[in-house]
Amino acid sequence: MRPKVYDGEQRKLYDSLKLAGIVEAPVNVCVTCDHQRPKGSGLGRQTDPAVDVYSTVCAVQNLWLAARAESLGVGWVSILDLEQLKTTLGIPQALTPIAYLCIGYVSEFRPQPDLLEKGWETRSNLASITHFDGWGVHDMGLKK
């Protein structure tokens, strides 16, 4: 599913993004979250219903770091129709797909993320997005 929110040059760039990893990767993993899972008696979800999603994303990050330590590449596919994915994989309606990952050996680890290299996005200045002792306070008192 290709969203219609992009136009002009951004549309051309969006349409050129490579999705071949789904076919080329030897392993594809779909990570889901079951919001009704009884394990832990819902601890955490009582005060923040999204905690289970956060925990699932942390598990994805841990998988990613472990894969990288083994010289495996991981690609997180975000350009897909989640309802179609659920239908294709037979995922029960109550579960939420969190990540669709392509995992495999890569010929190289590029120095920059693909979307940065392709000009889709630029990096933010770390100081502008880091806050210390309160929102909007960017000086961490670490000046030499």
Side-chain angles (χ1 to χ4, degrees), residues 127-140:
S128 72
I129 60 172
T130 305
H131 306 272
F132 183 73
D133 282 346
W135 193 263
V137 181
H138 299 288
D139 180 12
M140 295 194 307

Side-chain angles (χ1 to χ4, degrees), residues 84-99:
Q84 183 61 52
L85 178 69
K86 288 174 81 168
T87 299
T88 300
L89 298 180
I91 298 170
Q93 201 56 39
L95 274 61
T96 301
I98 300 297

Side-chain angles (χ1 to χ4, degrees), residues 21-74:
I22 293 172
V23 175
E24 294 173 1
V27 176
N28 283 234
V29 175
C30 182
V31 179
T32 62
C33 180
D34 181 352
H35 304 288
Q36 304 305 317
R37 187 170 185 237
K39 293 289 266 182
S41 302
L43 185 64
R45 291 188 312 232
Q46 304 307 319
T47 54
D48 184 350
V51 164
D52 56 355
V53 173
Y54 304 153
S55 294
T56 306
V57 171
C58 286
V60 170
Q61 175 70 11
N62 287 339
L63 179 148
W64 199 309
L65 291 170
R68 183 66 186 259
E70 297 296 328
S71 298
L72 293 169
V74 177

